[in-house]
Each structure stands twice: as C-alpha cells, then as structure tokens.
Amino acid sequence: MVKKTKKGKKGKNEIKGPEPVTTLNILQDRTKMLCPRMGDVYSKNNNVEDILQDVAESYLHKVIDNQSNSINLGGLKLTKFPTLINVGTELDCLIDINLSKNNLFNGDEVFEALSHLPFVTKLNLSENFLNGTLSRFAGLMEMLEVLNLDVNNLTALCPAVQNWTNLRIFTISDNSLIDLPIEASSWNRLTVLNMKNNKVMDIGSLPQYWPLLERLYLGSNLVNSVPYEIGKCKNLSVLDFSCNSIQTLPLSLGQCHALKALYLGSNKIEHLPPEIFACLTNLRELHLYKNKITSIPPEIGNLQGISSLLMLFAI
C-alpha cells in the first residue's frame, strides 16, 4: 500500500526561479487590453492625451475643409494648442475659438500659436492653468473683441495688452490679479469688465478711458475706494463693488445717470451721500447689506423705480 506523502514546507535550499519582470511590451499589451493595473495608469493617460490631441487636430482639419469661422476645443484636456504643418493661411477663417476646460498652462506657447490666427475676435481660455504674468504674445492678438480668462491663476497683465484696442468684453474673474496696468487705458471700446474674485486693491483712474463701459464687476476683491473717475462712465448700467473694504463713496458716482444696478453689500460704508442718490433716478437694484450705515437718506426712499433693495445693515 502506497503511503501518501504529507505536503510540507519547501526545502530551504530550493532554487527559486527568476523574479517576474514587467517589460515594456507587457505594459503595452496591458494597455491595449485595458487591464486595471496601477502600472498602466501613466501609459493610459498618455494614450488618452494623444488621442484627444488627434481629435483636436481633426477638428482643425474640418475647419479648413468647411472654412468654418468657429471651433470648440473645450474639455479635451489639451496641454497645448494643436498645430498643423503646412496649412499656411487656411485657418485664417477662424474668428471664434473655445479652449475652455483644458490643461493649458504655458501661456507663451498657447498665445504664440494663437497669434498666427490674425482674425480671431473671440477667445475663451477659461478654466485652464495659465499662471503668473499674462504672456507678451497675447498682445499680438490685436483683433480681440471678447476674451474670457476666468478661473486661471494669472497675477498680472503684460504691457502688451495696450494692443487690444478693439476689446469690448473682458472677463478675468477667479484669478489672482492685483491691479490693471496703465496700458489698459487703450481699451476705449470696452463695454464689460469682469474682475470678480481676485486680489485687486485699486484700478486707479482707468475708468476715465472707458467711456463706453456699461458693466463693471469688481466684487470680492480688496478695493478700499471707488475711483472718482467712475463718473466719466456715462453709459454704466451695472456697478458691482460688493465684498470689498470700501468706506466712502465719491460724489462723482451720481454722474452715472444710466446706472440701474448698484451692488455695495459687504463693505465698510458708514455714510450714504444724499447727493448721489438724488441723481440715480434710473436705479432698479440697490444692495447695501452688511455695512456700517447709521442712517438712510430720504433720497433713497424717493427712488420709485427700485425693484430690489437689500438693506440688512450691520448698524
């Protein structure tokens, strides 16, 4: 009768085989099979980026074929603007480009590429990773009329923005701007400026150079005074200085006769000059909540067109 041998431990002197090695070919095979292995993540991401870059380039080829004037490259995780070889002036038809929600971070690279498209008037670069001072190449886009740089990490604008003489709408909210350069005085066609949620302390006398300005958004910054020159903006209909550190209001504000919405909530205002509100007869919305106001001038009560009045004061 044959005895069954017990399964015991392997001998101490047993020769072990070679350690398994993951070769490049194995990694590529796993990627092809979409194996959920940690070692494949980087390769997969690279492959996805390459694929999306190819998609962006195919969109550009369609623009050339159809001579389209707009292109939407938003949300493609692009790290650079796709470039095509030997296209010459075939992309000159583009006037509207959407590059929002990507991973663009090298401003010089992005704007240098875009500067070769001479007729672009509308550009959306919101929700990217542009940082530091805006690239000097941005100044080469002299035809820009509408520019969206919201949700980046820009800290300053370059002097070359003086070339944006056609700019009408500029929004750069949710960045880290401290101020605007004096070169912004050349934006004499500006109608909308949105700088909400930055670190702006002062915009100086710049409003006097923006006679066509209709809407100015400077809420959630570090502004401690409304510029006296605001009175030069005769077309101003919306003015937002909410969530700042403003203590006083200039009498020149009363010269903004077209003003319909005035947002001054969450500041440190103590006094409301009656002369201002006697002149703002077109006012429809007035927010004065969370200030240090101790009395309300009767002129505010005489504003018959008011439809929204928030006056929850911290008296």
Side-chain angles (χ1 to χ4, degrees), residues 2 7 19 54 68 78 132 145 148-149 151 158-160 168-169 186 198 200 209 250 280 286 288 295 301 309:
V2 180
K7 292 182 180 180
E19 292 290 332
D54 290 343
S68 305
L78 300 178
E145 296 181 17
N148 188 338
L149 294 175
V151 196
C158 59
R168 295 185 299 103
I169 300 174
S186 66
N198 276 276
V200 177
Y209 301 106
L280 302 181
L286 177 59
L288 297 167
S295 63
L309 178 59

Side-chain angles (χ1 to χ4, degrees), residues 235-248:
N235 295 322
L236 196 63
S237 62
V238 178
L239 181 59
D240 180 9
F241 273 101
S242 60
C243 301
N244 278 284
S245 300
I246 296 170
Q247 298 181 13
T248 60

Side-chain angles (χ1 to χ4, degrees), residues 181-201:
I182 188 60
E183 287 80 6
S185 60
S186 66
W187 304 347
N188 51 27
R189 297 185 182 182
L190 193 67
T191 60
V192 179
L193 175 59
N194 180 7
M195 296 177 63
K196 294 178 67 173
N197 198 24
N198 276 276
K199 298 178 181 178
V200 177
M201 301 179 67

